[in-house]
Amino acid sequence: MRIDLLTLFPEMFPPVLASSIVGRAADAGIADYHVHDIRQYAQNKHAKVDDRPFGGGPGMVLMCQPVYDAVLSVEALDARPATRIVLTPQGEPLRQKRVEWLATQERLLFIAGHYEGFDERVLEELNPLELSIGDYVLSGGELAALVIVDAVVRLLPGALGHEQSAAEDSFSTATTKGGQTLLDCPHYTRPREWRGREVPEVLLSGDHAAIAAWRDEERRKRTRERRPDLASHPASPLAPPD
Ligand code: 6GU
């Protein structure tokens, strides 16, 4: 998968993209990342990319021209069509289903804005998928783009050492089979006792059926207690009967 990232703060990306699973995926040739500075596409001599909002108000608005020229120039660097993604708190709230769909695309192009946002007309012209990573406000789309890159790249074949874990974690396809969504169960490792706290006995029993049943019950209990919104989803096994 090719991933292009357009930003006014290119220095935010390399350390994250070189680390952990996303870094290993790049080393393995599973993903390649290309970071581009939108300011390089400014046409005025001060490399100005933002301006005051028509109608007044606080903050600055990202101008159409540098964003549009950056997208078209970057897209021309590779023949594969890009799925365009704009990061904005006004976007579709990101969920694992969308992450799974993004992982099927051959090329993703992220456009991160800062200031008060984009001129609406460049969004109309580019018609990107608009995504939000949650109901809180970030200073810019960069961290949101990195969150999405991480969530997508770990799903690419070969990106995780052990292919089972992507299918078993919270919100994965496996945990949502039949439309069910459950949180993950608690995990333990050595020592068997720590500060007086014991590992649940069943996990030491070697009884694989009993362990699976315990984990399933813990997941249901946690979901009910911590995320009643998931538990009450119509497709949830925790939802009350109709
Ligand atoms: Cl995608 N961008 C910004 N600026 N803030 C956010 C966000 C995105 N998602 C949640 N908050």
Side-chain angles (χ1 to χ4, degrees), residues 1-5 16-35 78 80 102-103 105-108 110 146 148-160:
M1 175 184 282
R2 175 176 172 125
I3 300 179
D4 290 286
L5 301 125
V16 178
L17 296 177
S19 306
S20 189
I21 302 290
V22 294
R24 240 201 16 222
D27 296 341
I30 292 166
D32 61 314
Y33 313 117
H34 302 267
V35 179
D78 191 290
R80 287 170 283 182
L102 292 172
Q105 305 299 291
E106 54 185 348
R107 184 178 182 194
L108 302 178
F110 292 90
L146 286 166
I148 299 171
V149 167
D150 183 290
V152 169
V153 168
R154 63 186 294 285
L155 297 184
L156 300 179
L160 295 181

Side-chain angles (χ1 to χ4, degrees), residues 117-158:
F118 298 87
D119 186 309
E120 189 66 18
R121 296 167 296 180
V122 78
L123 300 178
E124 292 168 3
E125 193 71 24
L126 293 172
N127 190 220
L129 177 59
E130 297 184 38
L131 294 177
S132 164
I133 63 164
D135 293 336
Y136 44 83
V137 182
L138 301 171
S139 320
E142 286 79 9
L143 294 171
L146 286 166
V147 163
I148 299 171
V149 167
D150 183 290
V152 169
V153 168
R154 63 186 294 285
L155 297 184
L156 300 179

Side-chain angles (χ1 to χ4, degrees), residues 67-237:
V67 173
Y68 185 75
D69 289 0
V71 170
L72 291 206
S73 299
V74 167
E75 284 183 347
L77 298 175
D78 191 290
R80 287 170 283 182
T83 296
R84 298 170 176 167
I85 300 160
V86 160
L87 294 317
T88 165
Q90 280 77 51
E92 170 193 304
L94 185 70
R95 285 187 289 268
Q96 191 67 12
K97 277 280 164 256
R98 175 59 77 184
V99 173
E100 288 166 11
W101 179 81
L102 292 172
T104 68
Q105 305 299 291
E106 54 185 348
R107 184 178 182 194
L108 302 178
L109 185 149
F110 292 90
I111 311 159
H114 254 256
Y115 318 118
E116 292 309 302
F118 298 87
D119 186 309
E120 189 66 18
R121 296 167 296 180
V122 78
L123 300 178
E124 292 168 3
E125 193 71 24
L126 293 172
N127 190 220
L129 177 59
E130 297 184 38
L131 294 177
S132 164
I133 63 164
D135 293 336
Y136 44 83
V137 182
L138 301 171
S139 320
E142 286 79 9
L143 294 171
L146 286 166
V147 163
I148 299 171
V149 167
D150 183 290
V152 169
V153 168
R154 63 186 294 285
L155 297 184
L156 300 179
L160 295 181
H162 38 111
E163 290 299 312
Q164 240 198 348
S165 50
E168 284 190 355
D169 53 20
S170 301
F171 304 115
S172 74
T173 310
T175 68
T176 58
K177 63 173 180 280
Q180 304 174 5
T181 303
L182 296 173
L183 299 182
D184 201 2
C185 60
H187 300 282
Y188 301 88
T189 188
R190 291 186 289 182
R192 290 172 61 147
E193 192 212 308
W194 179 75
R195 292 175 68 92
R197 299 172 187 276
E198 305 262 9
V199 171
E201 197 66 38
V202 63
L203 298 179
L204 311 172
S205 68
D207 181 341
H208 299 296
I211 292 169
W214 179 84
R215 287 179 170 156
D216 192 61
E217 184 46 37
E218 289 297 312
R219 296 179 66 200
R220 290 168 197 281
K221 194 164 71 187
R222 269 197 171 178
T223 307
R224 223 181 292 119
E225 287 171 3
R226 301 185 184 188
R227 293 295 303 276
D229 56 318
L230 296 179
S232 63
H233 186 279
S236 169

